[in-house]
Amino acid sequence: MSYFGAMQNEIYNAGLQGKLPDYPVDFATLEKRAHEALGPMMTNYVAGGCGDEHTQDQNADAFHHWGMIPRMMVDCGERDLSIEIFGQKYDNPLFMAPIGLNGEASQDRHGDIAAAQASAATGVPFCASTLSNDPLEDVYAACGDTAPWFQLYTSRNKDVAESMIKRAEKAGYKALVVTLDTWVTGWRPRDLNASNFPQLRGKVLQNYMTDPEFLKLLPKPPEEDMQTAIMIWAATFGQVLTWEHIEWFKSVTDLPIVLKGICHPDDARKAVEHGADAIYCSNHGGRQANGGIATIDLLGDVVKAAGDLPVLFDSGIRSGSDAVKALALGATAVGVGRPYTYGLALGGAKGAEWVLRSILAEADLLMAVNGYPTLEAVREAGAVRTDR
């Protein structure tokens, strides 16, 4: 049993000695301080969304019209938040969602390593992004005993795509998370107005610049001609994926195949039919398409259509109560995105660790107070749609 909620006792007891927390425990303060630390260009990229950002805002706001009904006279002196997924047991139901600019978020520009260290410290698995300032092998090593997953942006060059997959499998990652909705970049006004696309400036491309198959495409090593390397990366990034590609993925790796971006129940059913091992319900945090529907409002139907397959979820998680609501609606594991990246901006690995612990503490205490001693009890209780 884990007692994540004991974090509040640490904070209150430290206060008796005159010590205040180094980092905030609420999202609003965290966001404000992180934007100051990141600066305008990085804030545009990390905080920005597609179009007028309505979908991004709805992702977070929609949690307010989902509620949970407390149950009394239940022994919640011990809570069990553990899950089993991809052959691994974790003592909590969170994961660190893949974010392609993590590397630039920490002050030392090694945010991927810092995120992995936060994962090792908290037991929250890290879904490492293809877009990274450090090679995936180094990121894996920094995860310690907390088994990570690898998110793939599928290259148009099959040799490069297969090489990335093989490297992740050899390194020891426990699942391959294939992003479906980013073969082309969505319309992001904040970045467009600043004419800033970090990858075209050579940021977070180390997995490519250390990949033997990608290096074969270059006329010169990247250290001799980085601009050409960047242009070749841009020309080969973003394979349009169809259902037939699942067979190819399964032919090149034994890792579980997770399809990221599934929001429609019909797509969930097709994922099952084509042999996917898990479904990842996400609208990319509102960064890719401005369709206007919050992912949490789509989760229940996706879970029903997924049958026995695990369903991962992200988009809009800002707190522990958000995470518990997603679990109540059927998510197997819940992805935290921007909040932990903001933690990286404020304090590297320690900052991200604090944010993850805060979210876990709130989730644990909500379960304790509301009478849900286990995640099974949370799912049995479910969440209720309200009119706010």
Side-chain angles (χ1 to χ4, degrees):
M1 297 291 177
S2 297
Y3 300 98
F4 301 109
M7 180 184 181
Q8 70 173 351
N9 298 331
E10 296 175 26
I11 295 172
Y12 289 140
N13 289 333
L16 297 176
Q17 309 302 317
K19 180 173 174 55
L20 296 177
D22 292 327
Y23 314 108
V25 299
D26 67 292
F27 180 76
T29 310
L30 173 69
E31 182 178 49
K32 182 177 184 297
R33 286 181 53 185
H35 288 182
E36 293 168 355
L38 288 168
M41 294 287 267
M42 276 290 292
T43 294
N44 282 341
Y45 191 90
V46 176
C50 187
D52 65 0
E53 301 184 354
H54 174 72
T55 301
Q56 174 176 297
D57 294 340
Q58 284 294 299
N59 278 340
D61 290 345
F63 281 92
H64 295 141
H65 62 234
W66 288 98
M68 301 188 70
I69 302 173
R71 301 302 302 271
M72 296 296 105
M73 306 296 283
V74 179
D75 184 358
C76 289
E78 294 183 348
R79 278 89 59 199
D80 184 359
L81 279 71
S82 65
I83 63 169
E84 291 188 24
I85 190 169
F86 309 135
Q88 307 294 310
K89 185 167 183 176
Y90 301 97
D91 68 1
N92 70 89
L94 300 184
F95 66 94
M96 303 168 74
I99 294 181
L101 213 67
N102 273 338
E104 292 290 301
S106 66
Q107 298 303 313
D108 66 358
R109 298 299 184 263
H110 289 282
D112 311 290
I113 296 294
Q117 291 169 337
S119 173
T122 60
V124 176
F126 180 36
C127 188
S129 176
T130 303
L131 296 172
S132 170
N133 270 353
D134 290 281
L136 62 89
E137 293 83 359
D138 294 350
V139 174
Y140 175 86
C143 289
D145 294 330
T146 306
W149 315 328
F150 184 72
Q151 174 270 336
L152 179 72
Y153 286 121
T154 308
S155 174
R156 296 178 197 173
N157 183 295
K158 274 197 171 182
D159 292 334
V160 173
E162 183 171 351
S163 179
M164 289 280 188
I165 295 169
K166 295 291 190 185
R167 287 172 61 192
E169 187 170 26
K170 182 179 179 181
Y173 288 86
K174 301 305 180 187
L176 182 70
V177 178
V178 181
T179 293
L180 308 177
D181 62 3
T182 314
W183 58 273
V184 66
T185 305
W187 184 257
R188 302 174 187 171
R190 293 202 210 192
D191 293 329
L192 291 163
N193 288 335
S195 192
N196 178 46
F197 192 73
Q199 291 89 318
L200 294 181
R201 298 169 186 260
K203 310 296 185 184
V204 297
L205 297 181
Q206 276 304 298
N207 277 328
Y208 295 90
M209 302 309 165
T210 57
D211 190 87
E213 293 299 327
F214 182 78
L215 293 175
K216 289 179 183 178
L217 304 178
L218 308 183
K220 294 181 181 179
E223 59 270 20
E224 294 180 19
D225 187 358
M226 179 57 79
Q227 194 56 43
T228 296
I230 293 169
M231 291 301 103
I232 290 174
W233 168 81
T236 56
F237 181 84
Q239 172 65 47
V240 177
L241 296 173
T242 64
W243 295 109
E244 288 69 30
H245 282 91
I246 297 178
E247 182 178 353
W248 178 79
F249 285 119
K250 294 179 81 69
S251 75
V252 299
T253 183
D254 290 326
L255 290 175
I257 305 299
V258 185
L259 300 184
K260 179 177 184 287
I262 301 291
C263 290
H264 197 290
D266 287 350
D267 288 343
R269 280 184 279 270
K270 287 182 179 179
V272 173
E273 292 167 6
H274 284 82
D277 298 292
I279 288 166
Y280 190 152
C281 182
S282 168
N283 65 15
H284 215 110
R287 291 175 56 72
Q288 276 297 91
N290 197 27
I293 301 177
T295 310
I296 190 65
D297 291 341
L298 303 171
L299 175 60
D301 288 339
V302 169
V303 168
K304 290 175 186 175
D308 294 331
L309 287 194
V311 176
L312 283 63
F313 172 86
D314 77 19
S315 299
I317 296 293
R318 300 291 182 261
S319 67
S321 62
D322 291 346
V324 175
K325 290 174 186 178
L327 293 163
L329 289 169
T332 307
V334 177
V336 178
R338 288 181 178 92
Y340 86 79
T341 299
Y342 288 157
L344 292 176
L346 292 184
K350 290 294 183 185
E353 177 186 345
W354 180 270
V355 169
L356 293 170
R357 289 187 63 210
S358 297
I359 292 172
L360 283 171
E362 183 182 354
D364 184 29
L365 291 171
L366 184 149
M367 289 173 60
V369 174
N370 271 13
Y372 313 133
T374 64
L375 295 184
E376 181 181 1
V378 167
R379 295 189 178 103
E380 286 177 356
V384 178
R385 180 72 181 252
T386 73
D387 294 327
R388 300 200 193 189

